[in-house]
Amino acid sequence: MKKRTSRNPDPAESAPSPSAPPASASLDGLFRPRSVAVIGASRRRGTIGRELLHNLLEGDFQGKVFPVNPKADVIHSMKSYPSVLSITDEVDMAVVVVPRDEVLQAVEDCGRKGVKGVVVLSSGFREIGAEGIERERKLLAILRRYGMRMIGPNCMGIINAEPGYSMNATFSPTPPVGGSIAFMSQSGAMGAAILNHAKSLGLGISMFASMGNKADVSGNDLLLYLEDDPGTSLFLLYLESFGNPRNFTRVARRITRKKPILVVKAGRTAEGAAAAVSHTGAMAGADVAVEALLGQCGVLRADSIEDLFDMAMAFTFQPLPTGPRVALLTDAGGPAIMAADTVKAAGLKLARFSEATKARLRDGLSPDASVANPVDMLGHSGGEDYARCLRIILEDEGVDGVITLYVPPVMHDPISVAGSIFEAARGSTKPVLCVFMARDEVLNAVLKMEGQKLPIFRFPESAVKAMGAMARYRTLRDRPVDETPVLDVDREAAARVFAAAASGNREHLALEEARAVFEAYGIRFAKSRVAKTRAGLGAAAEAVGYPLVMKILSPDISHKTEVGGVATDLRTKEELLAAWDGMMDRAKAIEPRPRIEGVLLQEMRRGAQEMILGVTTDPTFGPLLMAGIGGVLVEVAADVAFRVHPITPSDAAEMVAGLRGARLLQGFRGRKPLCVEAYRDALLRLDRLVADFEGIVELDINPFMVGETAGDCVAVDARMRIDPTKF
Ligand SMILES: Nc1ncnc2c1ncn2[C@@H]1O[C@H](COP(=O)(O)OP(=O)(O)OP(=O)(O)O)[C@@H](O)[C@H]1O
Ligand SMILES: [Mg+2]
C-alpha cells in the first residue's frame, strides 16, 4: 500500500482572506493618532456628536481635535470645519457620527484627506438587514481603496488611556481610569456599563474598543495589536459571536502564554444539525463548541459580568498562585464553611499547614480558635490578629494563596481591620484575596482606601472562584508547547472510498467503507469478514476464528443493537447458524422492510474498555471532536469531552483525563492499566482525517476497544456521514 507521511496542518497556518488588509497595516492610526476629526460634532447637549467631542477634550486628549459640521462655525468654542477636506492640518483619525446616509461620503472624504483610521459610530449597516449590508459593503470598499482601517460601524467608540494619548473617543459618560486592562466589547451598551463598573472597583484600562459590526477591524486584530503592548497586561472580552473562530484559536493560544484573556460570552451558538445520526452529533449541545474552543486556547470564561470583574480584580491586583493550595483566614465559621465547600469545584485544594505554622498561629489566639485550615480566629479578632495570622500563613510553604474572610462585628472598626490586612499582604508573592461581608458603605469605603491594591469581594464563593481562575491560568500559561505529531496516513486510499460514495450520491458510508477510511488513517479495526449468505457463514467464520460476533449489515439500519442485529460470543457453527436465523427473522419483521446485505463476522474482543471517538460539525466552529466512555449506553453515561478541530496532543490528553470515567482506563478493579496512548493517538488521527476531508459531516467509532497494549486497541463499529457534493 502506498503510504504518505505528512504532518498535521499547523494550526498557526491559516490563509488570510483575499479581501483582508495586510497584516502589517497597523492600528496605530486608530489608537495612537496625533489628531482627531469629529465628523458630525454637535453643540446640542445629549447628542452623541456633542458628548464625544466633550469627552475628547475633557479626557485631555494630547493631540489636536477638529470638529466637522457644515452647519456650524464654532462648536465647544472651537472652529468647526464644513468637511474634513477643509482642515489644513493633517488628520490621523476621524470619528464618524453622521446620519447613515452621509457616512459613505464622510468616509470617502477621509480617504481623500489621507486619514489613517476611522471609527464609525453611526448605525444603519449590517444590523438592519439587506439595505444595511449593501451600505456596509460599500463602506468597506472605500476603506480598502484608501488603505484605511475602521472600528465599527454601529459602535460606541474607542479609548486609549495611555499617557501621551489619553484619548477618550466614546460618548460614555464615565471617564476611564488609566490602567493595564484592554477591554473589547461587542455591545456598545455593555461596554459603557462595564467601563462604569470597572471604575468603581478601581480597575484601570489601557485600551477600550466597542467593536460594533466588526466590518473591518476584528477582535482578533485587536488582540494581535495589543499582544506585546507593554501597557496591557490583561484582556477582557465581551463577546456575542465569533467572527473567525480558527483565527481566534491561533491568536489566543499564543497570547494566553503571555497574558490572561478573560471572556464573557453572551448568546449561544445555533443548535448543531438537527438530523444527527451519530452519537457525537446527538451529544454536542448548543454551547459545547464555545466552551471547548475557549478552553483549548487557554482563555478563561466568566459565567457572568460579575464573575468577569471578580476575576479581573484578582488578576489585576495580585500575583498568580504557583499551585492550587489555598488557606482561609476568618473571624466567623459560616463564611469559611461556604468558602471551603466551593474550593474543590474551583479546582483548588485546602492547604495543610505545617506543625510549626499551627503552633505559631495558636500562640496569641484564644484557645477556642481553630488553627487548622480554615483558621477561625473567632468573632472578637481585630486588625492585629488578621495581620499576624496572615503573615504566618503566607510563610507556610504548603500555601499557594490566601483568602481572608471578615464579617465586621460591632466592636471593631472595619476600615482599620482592612488597613491591617492590606499592610500584612503588601509585597507578598502569593495572592491574597479579601472577602468583606459588610454593608455597602463599608465596602465602598474599603474600596476607596489609599494604597488599596487587594481584590475585595462581598461573598466567599466569588473569592474562591477568582482564586481558582488564577490557579487555572497559571497552569494553562505554563503548559508545555505541543509538538505537532507526525502521522502516517494514506490519504489517497481514503479519497477513493469517498469518491465512490460521492459518485453514487450516498451520504452514509457502509460499515465496510467507513472501516477502509479509518484503516487508511491508521485506526485499526477488529478482524472481520462479510458473509452475504447463510451458506457463506462457514468460510467467513474460519477466516476470522471463534469466538466471534455477528452484526447485521444493512444500509437502512444505523444502530444495530436496537433491532437485535448484534450477537456476541458465538462459539460454534451451530450457534452461528442460529444467530443468523434469529437475526434474519427479526429483520423481516421490521417495517418498512430493510435491505439486508448479509452480516459481518468479527473477532470477539474481551477485557477491553469500550470508548467512543467522534466528530460532528458545528455551523460556526467547524468540526468538533469528541472522546468519551463508549458502548451502547453512551448517551446514558453522557461522559464525553469535546474539542474544536484542530486539536493538539495535549488537547487529546486533557480530553481523556477529564472524563469522569478516566479511572476505567487506569486499571480498575483488578484490571491492568489500559493503553490510553493508543486511544489518544486515534483521536489525533481522526483530527487529521477531518483536516484532510472537509466533506465529512459526522462520524463515530463506537466502541473503540481499548486493551492493555496498542495491539489490543481496535475499533469494532463505526459510522460516517459525508456531504457527497464536497468530494
Ligand atoms: N467485536 C466485538 N467484541 C466484543 N464485543 C463487541 C464486539 N462488537 C460489538 N460488541 C458489543 O456489542 C455492542 C454493540 O455493538 P456495535 O457497536 O457494533 O452495534 P450498534 O448497535 O451499532 O452500536 P451503537 O448504535 O450503540 O453504536 C458493543 O458496544 C459491544 O459491547
Ligand atoms: Mg456501535
Side-chain angles (χ1 to χ4, degrees):
M1 195 189 335
K2 201 174 94 208
K3 290 250 174 173
R4 196 175 61 112
T5 303
S6 56
R7 297 166 66 82
N8 257 359
D10 181 356
E13 228 114 45
S14 100
S17 86
S19 62
S24 56
S26 167
L27 303 185
D28 279 351
L30 285 161
F31 286 93
R32 295 181 164 112
R34 283 156 304 153
S35 51
V36 173
V38 180
I39 307 179
S42 163
R43 29 174 166 218
R44 242 184 327 123
R45 273 181 174 277
T47 60
I48 293 178
R50 152 74 169 68
E51 297 311 318
L52 194 133
L53 187 64
H54 176 81
N55 280 350
L56 273 174
L57 303 177
E58 197 68 6
D60 206 18
F61 174 54
Q62 300 291 297
K64 293 179 188 164
V65 178
F66 306 104
V68 174
N69 183 338
K71 297 194 198 98
D73 294 332
V74 176
I75 295 177
H76 232 308
S77 317
M78 299 168 79
K79 172 178 162 45
S80 168
Y81 297 81
S83 146
V84 73
L85 289 166
S86 45
I87 302 170
T88 44
D89 289 72
E90 268 185 41
V91 177
D92 285 343
M93 193 268 261
V95 186
V96 179
V97 291
V98 297
R100 61 182 69 169
D101 294 328
E102 296 165 27
V103 172
L104 296 183
Q105 186 57 53
V107 173
E108 177 78 42
D109 289 350
C110 289
R112 288 171 55 203
K113 172 71 187 160
V115 169
K116 299 186 186 81
V118 291
V119 179
V120 179
L121 278 68
S122 316
S123 55
F125 292 84
R126 192 170 54 212
E127 76 284 2
I128 62 160
E131 176 204 333
I133 291 174
E134 181 54 19
R135 190 178 291 117
E136 194 166 299
R137 200 189 53 75
K138 289 182 179 154
L139 177 59
L140 212 55
I142 301 172
L143 294 170
R144 294 290 179 265
R145 183 146 24 94
Y146 292 103
M148 288 185 287
R149 301 302 311 262
M150 172 182 72
I151 301 263
N154 184 30
C155 76
M156 201 193 89
I158 62 175
I159 294 173
N160 177 5
E162 213 178 347
Y165 292 95
S166 185
M167 173 184 72
N168 179 0
T170 71
F171 55 90
S172 158
T174 329
V177 202
S180 62
I181 301 177
F183 170 40
M184 298 156 212
S185 177
Q186 206 166 330
S187 144
M190 283 307 301
I194 290 177
L195 280 178
N196 187 21
H197 194 56
K199 188 171 182 179
S200 74
L201 294 177
L203 292 172
I205 62 152
S206 59
M207 304 255 183
F208 164 77
S210 145
M211 307 298 301
N213 294 4
K214 301 194 279 195
D216 177 33
V217 174
S218 66
N220 292 338
D221 293 332
L222 278 176
L223 285 172
L224 282 173
Y225 179 60
L226 299 175
E227 175 174 3
D228 294 314
D229 175 47
T232 297
S233 58
L234 172 68
F235 289 95
L236 297 194
L237 274 58
Y238 173 83
L239 291 183
E240 285 167 2
S241 64
F242 284 86
N244 182 338
R246 292 228 180 161
N247 258 345
F248 180 82
T249 319
R250 182 172 55 87
V251 172
R253 266 199 173 137
R254 191 176 64 223
I255 292 184
T256 51
R257 290 190 181 278
K258 307 181 239 183
K259 302 173 182 181
I261 303 179
L262 312 183
V263 164
V264 57
K265 164 79 177 64
R268 305 271 142 177
T269 49
E271 282 286 352
V277 299
S278 67
H279 296 284
T280 309
M283 291 172 81
D287 200 39
V288 90
V290 177
E291 197 68 34
L293 180 89
L294 296 178
Q296 266 165 278
C297 343
V299 170
L300 300 174
R301 185 178 191 180
D303 295 330
S304 60
I305 307 277
E306 197 177 351
D307 229 32
L308 184 76
F309 279 111
D310 287 343
M311 283 155 71
M313 260 200 304
F315 279 93
T316 303
F317 294 139
Q318 289 295 291
L320 295 175
T322 45
R325 300 164 306 173
V326 62
L328 304 171
L329 175 62
T330 184
D331 67 343
I337 294 171
M338 290 301 295
D341 280 350
T342 48
V343 157
K344 190 164 174 227
L348 299 168
K349 287 185 196 139
L350 279 180
R352 294 173 71 94
F353 298 144
S354 71
E355 288 309 317
T357 299
K358 283 191 225 167
R360 285 174 71 198
L361 286 170
R362 198 173 290 121
D363 197 24
L365 287 179
S366 108
D368 297 335
S370 161
V371 296
N373 191 13
V375 177
D376 186 352
M377 304 179 296
L378 304 181
H380 44 71
S381 357
E384 271 172 39
D385 299 305
Y386 268 101
R388 190 181 65 83
C389 293
L390 180 55
R391 286 197 177 97
I392 295 170
I393 295 171
L394 283 170
E395 280 169 22
D396 190 306
E397 281 179 5
V399 172
D400 298 315
V402 184
I403 296 175
T404 64
L405 304 133
Y406 179 55
V407 185
V410 243
M411 315 71 100
H412 285 292
D413 167 16
I415 302 295
S416 92
V417 171
S420 305
I421 296 177
F422 296 164
E423 196 46 49
R426 193 186 307 278
S428 162
T429 53
K430 299 175 184 177
V432 178
L433 312 187
C434 305
V435 179
F436 278 91
M437 299 187 73
R439 285 169 293 128
D440 278 354
E441 319 75 282
V442 178
L443 207 64
N444 288 334
V446 170
L447 278 168
K448 291 204 172 62
M449 281 168 68
E450 200 62 38
Q452 194 279 109
K453 283 284 174 244
L454 288 187
I456 310 290
F457 302 86
R458 190 190 287 265
F459 298 111
E461 302 90 327
S462 341
V464 175
K465 243 175 141 177
M467 184 73 88
M470 292 171 96
R472 182 168 149 66
Y473 174 66
R474 171 88 191 215
T475 322
L476 287 168
R477 189 192 65 182
D478 300 342
R479 70 196 184 279
V481 181
D482 268 309
E483 300 273 330
T484 313
V486 179
L487 302 172
D488 204 14
V489 304
D490 187 349
R491 191 178 192 279
E492 288 73 22
R496 281 194 295 276
V497 177
F498 288 128
S503 70
N505 200 26
R506 280 186 293 123
E507 277 188 29
H508 297 274
L509 265 56
L511 178 55
E512 282 301 282
E513 290 175 315
R515 183 171 83 119
V517 169
F518 291 126
E519 287 195 331
Y521 273 69
I523 298 174
R524 287 188 42 237
F525 259 70
K527 191 168 173 196
S528 38
R529 283 283 184 287
V530 176
K532 294 204 166 117
T533 59
R534 194 173 192 271
L537 286 173
E542 283 308 303
V544 177
Y546 291 96
L548 41 75
V549 177
M550 181 188 289
K551 300 184 184 183
I552 200 154
L553 287 178
S554 161
D556 304 316
I557 298 172
S558 181
H559 297 281
K560 301 173 283 296
T561 306
E562 286 165 16
V563 297
V566 178
T568 55
D569 205 14
L570 306 175
R571 293 167 173 275
T572 59
K573 183 83 186 281
E574 290 67 46
E575 286 183 16
L576 199 62
L577 293 170
W580 167 282
D581 294 339
M583 218 172 259
M584 294 306 145
D585 283 348
R586 284 189 294 276
K588 278 181 204 143
I590 301 172
E591 288 290 337
R593 196 139 158 194
R595 292 166 284 173
I596 306 296
E597 296 175 345
V599 296
L600 189 74
L601 296 187
Q602 198 170 53
E603 58 173 317
M604 174 81 196
R605 310 292 306 196
R606 293 178 191 284
Q609 174 60 42
E610 298 191 18
M611 301 295 287
I612 184 170
L613 299 161
V615 175
T616 180
T617 309
D618 180 275
T620 314
F621 295 85
L624 296 181
L625 284 107
M626 185 182 89
I629 303 301
V632 288
L633 299 179
V634 47
E635 278 93 354
V636 182
D639 188 8
V640 294
F642 286 91
R643 292 291 185 279
V644 179
H645 165 76
I647 61 167
T648 64
S650 10
D651 289 331
E654 280 171 22
M655 287 171 88
V656 184
L659 297 172
R660 271 183 280 117
R663 278 203 303 155
L664 293 170
L665 295 167
Q666 290 158 7
F668 185 63
R669 312 209 73 168
R671 195 160 71 181
K672 291 217 181 95
L674 302 178
C675 187
V676 64
E677 294 78 16
Y679 179 59
R680 292 197 300 241
D681 177 67
L683 268 172
L684 291 168
R685 289 174 181 277
L686 270 194
D687 187 63
R688 174 60 190 279
L689 178 66
V690 295
D692 287 352
F693 298 99
E694 272 184 25
I696 295 173
V697 179
E698 55 173 340
L699 64 86
D700 47 45
I701 299 179
N702 180 35
F704 182 83
M705 301 288 198
V706 180
E708 285 172 22
T709 65
D712 290 336
C713 295
V714 290
V716 302
D717 181 35
R719 55 179 58 80
M720 190 179 322
R721 184 158 71 97
I722 60 168
D723 177 349
T725 63
K726 290 195 178 157
F727 289 94

